[in-house]
Each structure stands twice: as structure tokens, then as C-alpha cells.
Amino acid sequence: MYKYDNYDQTIVNERVNQFRDQTERFLAGKLSEEEFRPLRLMNGLYIQTHAPMLRVAIPYGLLSSEQLRKLAHISRKYDKNYAHFSTRQNLQYNWPILESVPDILAELATVEMHAIQTSGNDIRNTTSDQFAGIAVDELEDPRPYCEIIRQWSTLHPEFSYLPRKFKIAVSGASHDRAAVRVHDIGLYLVKNDEGVVGFNVFVGGGLGRTPFIGPSIKSFLAKEDLLSYLEAVLRVYNRFGRRDNMYKARIKILVNALGTEEFAKQVEEEWLHIKDGVMKLDQKEIDRVKAYFAPPDYDTNAADDTSFDAAKESNKAFSNWAGRNLFPHKVAGYSAVVISLKAPDIPPGDVTDEQMDHIADLADEYSYGEIVVTHDQNVVLCNVKQADLFSLWEKLAEKKLATPNIGLLTDMICCPGLDFCSLANAGSIPIAKQINDKFSDMDYLHDIGDIKIKMSGCMNACGHHHVGHIGILGVDKKGVEFYQLTLGGSAETDATLGDRLGKAVAKEEVADVIGKILDVYVEQRQEDEAFLETYRRVGITLFKERVYASN
Amino acid sequence: MRVIKDKAVVNDDWQLIRELDCSKPIPEGKVILPFIDWQASRDELLKRDTEHAVWIDGDTETEALLDDLEHFSIIALDFPAFKDGRSYSHACLLRQRYAYKGELRAIGDVLRDQLFYMQRCGMDSYEVREDKDIEDAIKSLNDFSVRYQAAADDAVPIYKQR
Ligand code: SF4
């Protein structure tokens, strides 16, 4: 993974000093709340329902074991012994006190981490495919480009007071696991007719109140033009994006108002001015960054192992887990292991300090000391030899980290909701619990198979409900929590926004309603059809009828 | 009044005219006029034997100034609220694309914690908001010693030095 040099370290250290000074000035009354607010947000610090919430950046989701141990340590020393992985591959602390935040940042800086631009109207953490570097369907590893974008966007002087937040995602695989098209800018690595690899650039995707799947505005962008083109998009947005209404300030609204073609034209004009200047990316720099992501020294005999199959034969529980939680690796004899943070009795994405330490140790022992956070709030060990899988599984189980539910109904995405977030209209964690309680039969869950439930506590859509196969949105009706359901959404290569099922349902009915939806699926499915396929084939009517029949 | 200019706090005798009083003649001397008014009386003003200065808000596109750049000693960029970041792009364009060499002054809601970015975008003088300590604000110009990306201050991305 990328290692800081002196320059990177200096920037992060100076940022800590700057924020310490800003916090002190705020506490001394020299900065008003209004003046301090954007400054703290640019450092990922929210004031939430109970306490500040601090969001730590995990660039493209990649962590070293050392970094994860530090995150565990911080949760012990400054928080309540746990942390929460977000849907943007970041990590959140729910209970730090404001006065301690500069110290937390200083601790993070010792392991090459920070909270820069994890909130605020600036360019946020660039996200990517959790299986980057190892996926079979990958054209090229997207992470070097994410790192190049990270450096370019960090403390960008022109784009730190944008009309609204700005999110970029990059994927290098043919199957999109990074929800690229619901980002402000989404980049797919693609090959053109001459066999050269570059980017297909999508702009103006996003969820929230007005969800859009982003259109492509440039089907092939050469690598050397990556930064100049991003700069052109951002400049057009910074100049012409709306600032009068925060709900209309995202780039998707501008793209829509101008029309894709006109927007693309304005970007092109801007870009032609700067493309051959200092922004042009040297191949040397691409190679330098790429070298940090070179594959490890894989064991060429890893595939000779026979113990893995034998263990699956003899141990049903292991075999269930292996059937759900492994992802194919491009090197024979290796697997990526998805560690579920969706055990039935914990809020999705929460992890304790002990679990973090444990995962760090296991990463050292089995996976070259690296961990990846997924955008569905799990973590991955990307490089595990199949001969090690059984012992890894046993050790994961010791800390309740072996729930065999990846991709199943209980592998839900869920925002913090009313329990922690001051913007929430309704709880999401209690709904996750309700669903877990109702659907606890593993055989049933395996029978239902692949399904993505995504849940947000308000229209801001941090839980990406629009793109859930089943989306759940918390709404407030005269002070009572209700839930609006959508069906058929997807964030993947076939990105689609879900269709509204009907009127919102009462809190206590959510799990039952999901039960009815699944009944329809089970009745209608053909052969191995997954939920989304069945839904797309039969449409929403049958589901509507069943759910609202009795009322 | 006191402004930060070339990294020092100095006394400055330019007068910012936020709004022109149409019933009176345009004031003489070192005045920073609204660009629209300057433009409306351009020919008459150019006959005066003085320096010229204008201010623009975020809505004015920098391209509107191009024909007159050579006349201006100061172009002031207004921040109606410090969160309104359009003037950062305007500054970059004026410096990098249109090679404006005169003074670029930040006016309006100009606060300490934004000066570093303003400087990087090519602004070189700052009228810090009245209720703030200007001696305190100037410190922020040195908040960072390293810059990742090219901007209007030094033209090379850091990686070229690696
Ligand atoms: S979706 Fe709403 S409730 Fe949930 S975390 Fe985001 S802002 Fe808070």
C-alpha cells in the first residue's frame, strides 16, 4: 500500500497543528460557531445527537494492521471501545469530546492517517472496489489512481468551498463494486479500440433527495489527462453550481439543468485550456505510485492444497461460511475473505476495539498485514491462502466475526439513523435489529440468497436506500417514525434506482412487510433466479398487492 | 484602513465603494468601484489621470473583464459569505489564464482560516473582516509548508520534486 514520504507526513502534521489552533480559538470564543463549523467539518467533525462524531478517512478503504490497531486504541482511549464503518469506506467515532479531537488527529498522524475532507463542501475520500488488485474481472488496479486523486484533492485551494460535497469513485473491474455511477464523478478504467487503458468518465450521479444515475460525459480519457479533466469538471461546478439552495447544490442538479451534452461541452472547453499544462500527469508519477500497489510474493504452490476441500466436506458450518464469505482471487489457491460486521445482535458496521485488534492480528498472520473496508460496511482480508482458511475461520469465530451472511438479507447497509445522527427522521439501527430478529433462520436466509437491503434514516441517503434491492427510508409523520420502501434498486454495473412500493409503513411492520415481499419472490422465482432478477421480470404489482392487500 | 498585502499588514488608502450613489458624480482618487459601474462609465473614467480599480462578485464572470485588465491596479474579489468559493476560481483564472499581474484583493467575509487558500489561488491582498484581528489573521499564510497540487502560487505539483 501507499507509504507516506516526508511531504505527505508534513502536510498531515501541519494539518493537525492547524486544527488544534482552530479548536483552541473556538473554545476561547475567537471563532463563532458559524465560523468554526465548516472548519471542523473539513476535518470530519460533526456535532451529533449525543456528542461530536469524528469521521476518519480511510483512502479507498485500505488499512494496514498497524493503522487498524491505532483505530482500536483510539476507540479505547477516547471513545466507548467501538467504532463504526461507514458506507464510504471510512470509520466513525460516535463519542469523542471536542477538546480531545486534536489529540486524536495527532495519534492518527503517527500512522499516516487523518480526517481531512471527510465532511464539508469539498472533495471527499475517493472510494474504490474492495477487491481492487485481486479481482479476476479487473482490467487494472484502480488504487494508484485513487491515491493520485487523493493527493491532488487534499487541501485543494480552489475546491475547498464548493457549493456542496463532492465524491469520486474509481473501479477497474467489469463488475462495478464501487457504486461508481451514484458518485459526483465516477471513473471506470476501460480499454479503447487501440488497446490503450484510460477512463470512462461519469458525472452527476448521486442519491439524496434527487437521486440520479450519472451519465458518461467522456467515454475515453487518457490517463495523463486524469487530473486536468477532473480539475475542469470541478471548476465548471465551482463556478456555476447553485449556491442558493443546499438541496439543489450538488453537481447532479447542474448537469441536469444544463443537460449532459451542454455540461460536457463546458467541461471540454475548460479542459482544452489546461490539458497540456502543468496538470498533465507524468507516466513516471503513475509508475511511482503503482509500485506501492505491486502484488505480494504469492506462494505459487498454494493451489496444491487439499485441506480446504476436506474441511468443507467435514464441517458444515465452515462450508456455509466458505460458500458465502469468500471471493475468488486472481491467483490460484488464494481467496479474499469477507469478514461480516453484520452479526445479528450488533448495529451493521460496528466493530469493537477487541475485534479491531483481532482482525489486525489475523491480517498479519494470513493476509500480508492489509485490511480493506467495503462500502457495504464489512472488511476484507484480500490475500488468504486456501490452506489457511479453516484456521482463519476458527479464529474469526472466537470474536464473533464469522457470521456466514455476506450478500444475504442480514448483510444490510444501515446508516446511524436516529440513534446518533441529528439529521435523522427515524431510526435505522432498530429496524436492522427487527429484521435480524425475524429472519434468524440461516437455512431460510441461504434459500433467499443474494439480496441487498439498504436503509437510511432520512432523505440524505447515507444508507444508499435508492439502490438497495429493497430500500428502506425513514420518514417522520407528525413525530412518528414511518418507513418508505423501494424495490429493484442496484448500485452495480446495471445501476438502477428503486421503485416506490407504496405508502410508508409503520415501524413495527417493517420486517413483516419484508417477509411478504420475500414470499412473493419465493412464489415467483424461476430456478436460480435471484431476488433482483425476479423483480425485474415480474414488476412491482404483485409485491404491491401482497403488501397492501389486508389494509 | 489596514490590509494584508504582500504578507505584511500595511496602511492602505484605497477606498472601497460598495455601491455608487447615482445622484452624485463618480468619486475621484483611489477608489475601488463596482465593475458594472466602472464599465458603464468606462470611457469617461479612462480619461481621468488616476489608477483604476474595480470589484466583482461571484456572479460576474472573469471573462467580462478581459478587455480592460491592463487598466486595473486592483481587482477586488468579493466574498459575500466566506463559504462562497466562486472567487477562488475567479482568482485562478485571472492569474493563470488571463495573466493578470495587478493586485488581487479579497474583500467581504474575509477570515483568517481561508487566507491560505486565497493566497494559493493568486490573491495577494486581503481586507480582513473588520471585527477580526488582522495581526492574528496574517499568521495563517504560513499554515502549510508543502502543497500537493499546482495552483496560481507555485506552478508545479509536488510529485515533480519527488
Ligand atoms: S441518512 Fe440521514 S439519518 Fe442517516 S446518517 Fe445520513 S443524514 Fe443521518
Side-chain angles (χ1 to χ4, degrees):
Chain A
M1 66 190 283
Y2 186 73
K3 289 294 295 167
Y4 279 11
D5 66 8
N6 230 334
Y7 294 125
D8 304 295
Q9 191 65 51
T10 304
I11 286 183
V12 169
N13 292 348
E14 289 178 346
R15 177 57 151 186
V16 175
N17 295 340
Q18 184 195 40
F19 190 70
R20 190 181 294 283
D21 179 67
Q22 290 168 344
T23 305
E24 280 164 10
R25 279 187 282 136
F26 171 67
L27 292 170
K30 288 191 200 160
L31 274 176
S32 70
E33 169 53 33
E34 203 214 332
E35 288 158 9
F36 184 53
R37 192 167 170 275
L39 304 179
R40 65 170 162 74
L41 287 176
M42 278 182 208
N43 248 309
L45 185 63
Y46 288 77
I47 304 295
Q48 291 290 36
T49 311
H50 306 288
M53 182 273 274
L54 178 67
R55 186 181 293 147
V56 177
I58 303 176
Y60 34 94
L62 184 58
L63 283 171
S64 69
S65 54
E66 186 199 13
Q67 290 173 326
L68 186 54
R69 277 190 204 96
K70 178 60 86 177
L71 294 170
H73 161 80
I74 290 171
S75 81
R76 257 189 309 274
K77 186 164 170 195
Y78 303 94
D79 205 287
K80 297 190 176 179
N81 298 71
Y82 76 99
H84 173 81
F85 285 109
S86 81
T87 54
R88 297 206 71 256
Q89 302 182 298
N90 289 324
L91 178 128
Q92 298 178 178
Y93 292 112
N94 280 320
W95 305 95
I97 59 165
L98 173 61
E99 289 78 352
S100 70
V101 171
D103 294 335
I104 297 176
L105 296 178
E107 295 232 26
L108 288 171
T110 64
V111 292
E112 305 181 3
M113 293 187 84
H114 59 74
I116 298 171
Q117 289 162 217
T118 53
S119 181
N121 296 336
D122 44 34
I123 305 171
R124 305 287 188 86
N125 185 25
T126 299
T127 53
S128 189
D129 183 350
Q130 64 260 28
F131 300 119
I134 63 108
V136 179
D137 65 341
E138 187 169 88
L139 179 63
E140 197 180 313
D141 189 344
R143 294 171 303 176
Y145 304 101
C146 294
E147 177 57 30
I148 287 169
I149 294 170
R150 182 191 77 79
Q151 298 192 15
W152 160 78
S153 62
T154 296
L155 307 183
H156 198 298
E158 189 179 342
F159 306 133
S160 288
Y161 292 92
L162 295 169
R164 218 41 195 98
K165 58 188 169 184
F166 202 92
K167 301 174 178 179
I168 302 176
V170 192
S171 167
S174 58
H175 188 98
D176 179 358
R177 288 171 290 264
V180 161
R181 295 188 61 192
V182 293
H183 282 77
D184 296 285
I185 294 182
L187 300 165
Y188 284 140
L189 280 153
V190 291
K191 201 180 259 183
N192 69 5
D193 295 341
E194 282 88 61
V196 181
V197 176
F199 299 96
N200 186 353
V201 184
F202 295 83
V203 168
L207 299 174
R209 270 164 211 257
T210 334
F212 283 111
I213 305 293
S216 168
I217 58 163
K218 196 164 195 60
S219 57
F220 188 83
L221 178 74
K223 288 174 180 176
E224 60 184 19
D225 296 325
L226 175 64
L227 294 184
S228 59
Y229 197 80
L230 293 181
E231 185 125 333
V233 173
L234 262 302
R235 183 171 279 168
V236 170
Y237 172 54
N238 190 44
R239 292 180 72 186
F240 304 114
R242 284 182 65 170
R243 290 173 185 269
D244 57 330
N245 177 342
M246 73 175 276
Y247 299 116
K248 298 198 157 61
R250 294 287 290 269
I251 194 173
K252 60 191 174 186
I253 305 290
L254 178 66
V255 173
N256 243 271
L258 292 175
T260 306
E261 238 169 81
E262 173 60 23
F263 180 81
K265 193 177 123 237
Q266 294 194 11
V267 170
E268 193 77 13
E269 275 168 21
E270 175 59 40
W271 179 56
L272 290 176
H273 284 290
I274 55 179
K275 82 186 262 282
D276 294 317
V278 69
M279 301 289 302
K280 188 164 241 158
L281 200 49
D282 297 352
Q283 186 59 42
K284 215 176 108 217
E285 171 63 359
I286 296 176
D287 293 340
R288 183 186 77 87
V289 179
K290 264 190 178 175
Y292 288 104
F293 297 92
D297 247 338
Y298 289 117
D299 175 356
T300 46
N301 302 320
D304 300 344
D305 161 76
T306 53
S307 67
F308 174 55
D309 286 333
K312 277 200 292 190
E313 244 350 83
S314 61
N315 188 320
K316 178 85 177 21
F318 175 62
S319 153
N320 275 346
W321 176 83
R324 289 306 324 180
N325 294 38
L326 300 185
F327 184 84
H329 197 292
K330 65 181 179 191
V331 177
Y334 281 82
S335 282
V337 172
V338 186
I339 300 174
S340 171
L341 301 180
K342 314 289 177 64
D345 48 352
I346 58 156
D350 276 11
V351 59
T352 66
D353 61 327
E354 266 185 49
Q355 287 176 322
M356 285 187 265
D357 281 335
H358 194 60
I359 294 169
D361 291 346
L362 295 175
D364 281 339
E365 193 173 347
Y366 297 110
S367 193
Y368 301 95
E370 288 182 6
I371 301 101
V372 186
V373 183
T374 77
H375 83 270
D376 31 25
Q377 304 177 290
N378 294 310
V379 291
V380 179
L381 301 181
C382 269
N383 293 297
V384 183
K385 264 203 262 190
Q386 69 178 48
D388 292 335
L389 287 168
F390 186 76
S391 55
L392 171 61
W393 172 72
E394 286 185 309
K395 289 178 190 168
L396 286 170
E398 287 167 17
K399 301 278 182 213
K400 286 173 92 170
L401 290 166
T403 312
N405 67 344
I406 297 306
L408 296 180
L409 182 77
T410 50
D411 184 11
M412 291 170 271
I413 287 193
C414 174
C415 80
L418 206 55
D419 293 75
F420 295 103
C421 174
S422 52
L423 301 172
N425 287 325
S428 38
I429 294 171
I431 300 298
K433 184 164 183 327
Q434 196 188 102
I435 293 171
N436 266 310
D437 290 347
K438 180 171 168 90
F439 302 102
S440 54
D441 176 3
M442 264 296 162
D443 291 335
Y444 177 75
L445 294 176
H446 280 265
D447 177 53
I448 295 296
D450 284 319
I451 186 163
K452 289 188 194 296
I453 295 191
K454 305 193 185 208
M455 205 172 349
S456 311
C458 79
M459 297 231 263
N460 286 326
C462 304
H464 302 176
H465 61 275
H466 300 106
V467 289
H469 301 172
I470 299 180
I472 305 176
L473 164 67
V475 292
D476 172 299
K477 286 195 180 176
K478 301 197 180 99
V480 183
E481 295 162 79
F482 275 82
Y483 294 86
Q484 171 70 62
L485 271 67
T486 47
L487 297 183
S490 165
E492 303 185 10
T493 319
D494 54 358
T496 325
L497 301 170
D499 307 313
R500 207 165 154 250
L501 182 65
K503 69 176 183 355
V505 303
K507 187 171 188 179
E508 54 290 351
E509 288 171 12
V510 176
D512 289 343
V513 167
I514 290 174
K516 289 179 190 169
I517 292 168
L518 295 175
D519 289 345
V520 175
Y521 159 61
V522 170
E523 288 159 25
Q524 297 295 327
R525 70 177 160 192
Q526 296 174 348
E527 291 161 35
D528 296 342
E529 230 177 23
F531 175 83
L532 185 62
E533 291 158 1
T534 303
Y535 175 80
R536 284 179 174 166
R537 184 171 52 76
V538 307
I540 200 164
T541 316
L542 291 173
F543 294 93
K544 247 190 212 293
E545 283 169 4
R546 182 72 53 93
V547 169
Y548 297 106
S550 48
N551 316 356
Chain B
M1 76 174 292
R2 302 205 309 155
V3 299
I4 298 173
K5 200 165 165 173
D6 300 327
K7 297 199 171 201
V9 178
V10 296
N11 281 316
D12 179 90
D13 49 7
W14 282 93
Q15 196 196 343
L16 176 66
I17 312 286
R18 275 281 172 188
E19 218 173 318
L20 212 54
D21 182 347
C22 304
S23 62
K24 295 186 188 139
I26 298 178
E28 306 265 342
K30 294 177 94 173
V31 286
I32 304 176
L33 299 171
F35 173 66
I36 302 187
D37 296 313
W38 187 90
Q39 205 180 26
S41 308
R42 180 179 184 275
D43 297 338
E44 177 202 330
L45 287 167
L46 284 177
K47 282 185 208 132
R48 290 185 182 176
D49 181 24
T50 58
E51 291 178 79
H52 298 273
V54 293
W55 69 269
I56 58 171
D57 59 15
D59 292 332
T60 312
E61 291 180 29
T62 42
E63 286 72 15
L65 279 68
L66 294 190
D67 291 340
D68 296 310
L69 285 184
E70 55 181 317
H71 302 304
F72 301 136
S73 300
I74 296 179
I75 298 173
L77 302 172
D78 187 33
F79 290 81
F82 71 91
K83 286 177 287 188
D84 182 344
R86 290 175 294 180
S87 288
Y88 293 99
S89 285
H90 291 168
C92 287
L93 287 169
L94 285 169
R95 288 290 190 221
Q96 291 177 293
R97 183 159 313 157
Y98 305 123
Y100 172 69
K101 295 281 187 298
E103 184 176 328
L104 261 189
R105 178 175 295 191
I107 59 169
D109 200 12
V110 178
L111 307 175
R112 164 176 172 159
D113 295 284
Q114 286 77 45
L115 296 192
F116 183 79
Y117 289 153
M118 291 176 177
Q119 161 181 268
R120 291 221 55 208
C121 291
M123 291 173 237
D124 53 2
S125 76
Y126 317 88
E127 194 182 303
V128 177
R129 207 175 75 192
E130 252 169 4
D131 60 324
K132 296 287 174 182
D133 179 354
I134 195 167
E135 302 286 351
D136 179 61
I138 197 171
K139 293 180 201 155
S140 68
L141 292 175
N142 299 315
D143 273 355
F144 294 93
S145 60
V146 179
R147 292 123 217 226
Y148 272 130
Q149 58 295 90
D153 53 352
D154 51 14
V156 276
I158 195 79
Y159 71 75
K160 304 217 185 229
Q161 293 165 32
R162 280 177 155 143

